[in-house]
Amino acid sequence: MRFLQKSIRNIATPFIPPYTKNHHNSQLINTSHFDNNSIAIGKGIPCLGLNGGPGVSHSWAFSFQVATKTQAETDRYWHAIIDNGGQASECGWCQDKWGISWQITPLALTEAITDPDPEAARRAFEAMMQMGKIDIAAIEAARRG
């Protein structure tokens, strides 16, 4: 996670709480006000937030993927990002208000697009390509044909 403000204190304070609140197994470990860096655990994965300066920005090339089990869980993560200044995109992708990309990916989608039946996988993939937030029932219906 890169932060563009001059002081990590200014961005880490508002940035970290929404994630630790909405993403289980997440916590802020340490914030260094000397070198403007922050260490956090996101979904159990250690992350180092660096202040890259004004010439460094986020891109779609890096994203966090959140594997969800239910539609309710999918909706909760999606809305935690979108309803707090984020932006919806396609195929389960979204960006939070800081420009970090997220893939909210139901396990049902992963199973469907890797179905051993290539036609079932194709149908599920084509259904996904029409979606913003993933609709598990629609993916499962497409998989069944």
Side-chain angles (χ1 to χ4, degrees):
M1 293 181 238
R2 290 179 299 219
F3 303 104
L4 305 179
Q5 278 69 13
K6 290 201 177 227
S7 170
I8 195 76
R9 181 186 322 235
N10 294 337
I11 190 70
T13 300
F15 177 82
I16 299 299
Y19 290 100
T20 57
K21 174 183 169 196
N22 292 304
H23 299 274
H24 302 298
N25 198 20
S26 300
Q27 61 182 321
L28 177 64
I29 301 297
N30 187 4
T31 298
S32 168
H33 299 292
F34 172 71
D35 58 5
N36 295 329
N37 296 326
S38 180
I39 300 170
I41 301 294
K43 299 284 292 170
I45 301 168
C47 301
L48 174 61
L50 301 175
N51 181 351
V56 180
S57 62
H58 298 290
S59 83
W60 291 99
F62 171 84
S63 66
F64 285 105
Q65 184 178 41
V66 180
T68 57
K69 295 179 183 174
T70 66
Q71 189 67 53
E73 185 180 26
T74 301
D75 295 347
R76 182 173 63 84
Y77 282 115
W78 181 267
H79 288 291
I81 293 168
I82 301 305
D83 296 347
N84 289 292
Q87 180 179 3
S89 190
E90 301 168 338
C91 307
W93 285 72
C94 56
Q95 279 189 335
D96 62 27
K97 68 181 177 180
W98 294 279
I100 296 173
S101 300
W102 295 82
Q103 299 176 61
I104 311 303
T105 310
L107 294 172
L109 172 63
T110 304
E111 292 167 3
I113 64 175
T114 61
D115 192 298
D117 176 356
E119 283 303 307
R122 180 191 58 75
R123 289 190 304 268
F125 182 81
E126 289 177 357
M128 175 202 67
M129 293 298 291
Q130 304 302 312
M131 298 177 186
K133 178 181 67 177
I134 302 301
D135 179 335
I136 295 173
I139 292 295
E140 290 173 341
R143 183 180 187 185
R144 288 189 303 272

